[in-house]
Amino acid sequence: MADITRKTKRYPSDLTDEEWERIAPLMPPLNRRGRKRATDFREIINALRYLVRSGCGWEMLPVHFGPWQTVYWWFRRLERFLF
C-alpha cells in the first residue's frame, strides 16, 4: 500500500514529491540506537498539514496517517523548530 500512496495524493494537503525532496533534509535523522520508526516521517508531515488545513481535532485524524498520539508527539518535538 505504501507504494500506491506514493504515486497518488490521498488528500489535497499531502506533500508532492518535489515538496518532500526539499524538506526531507531538514527532518531529524534516525536515531542510531533504539527501534526504527513505525510511522513514515512524510506521513507525519502530511498529517500536520491535514490538521492545519481541515481544522479537525487530534482524535479526528484519519487512520491513514497513523496513530494521532504519534503525530502529536512529533508535533510537540518539532514546534521548537517551527515556531
Side-chain angles (χ1 to χ4, degrees):
M1 183 166 158
D3 295 331
I4 294 171
T5 58
R6 291 286 177 248
K7 296 177 182 176
T8 61
K9 289 176 64 174
R10 294 175 305 204
Y11 301 101
S13 60
D14 282 358
L15 290 168
T16 63
D17 290 335
E18 294 81 26
E19 291 171 329
W20 177 245
E21 287 175 13
R22 296 188 97 190
I23 68 167
L26 303 173
M27 297 298 112
L30 287 171
N31 192 357
R32 292 179 183 247
R33 291 187 269 160
R35 61 182 175 176
K36 292 176 62 174
R37 291 182 185 150
T39 306
D40 184 23
F41 211 74
R42 184 173 179 167
E43 290 303 314
I44 301 289
I45 302 300
N46 283 338
L48 292 173
R49 288 172 51 117
Y50 179 85
L51 283 165
V52 169
R53 182 147 186 199
S54 69
C56 73
W58 290 102
E59 292 88 6
M60 297 174 65
L61 194 63
V63 296
H64 302 107
F65 297 120
W68 69 267
Q69 295 92 339
T70 304
V71 177
Y72 182 76
W73 187 86
W74 276 107
F75 170 73
R76 298 296 293 171
R77 290 287 229 181
L78 293 173
E79 79 177 330
R80 287 183 246 155
F81 302 108
L82 299 175
F83 303 110

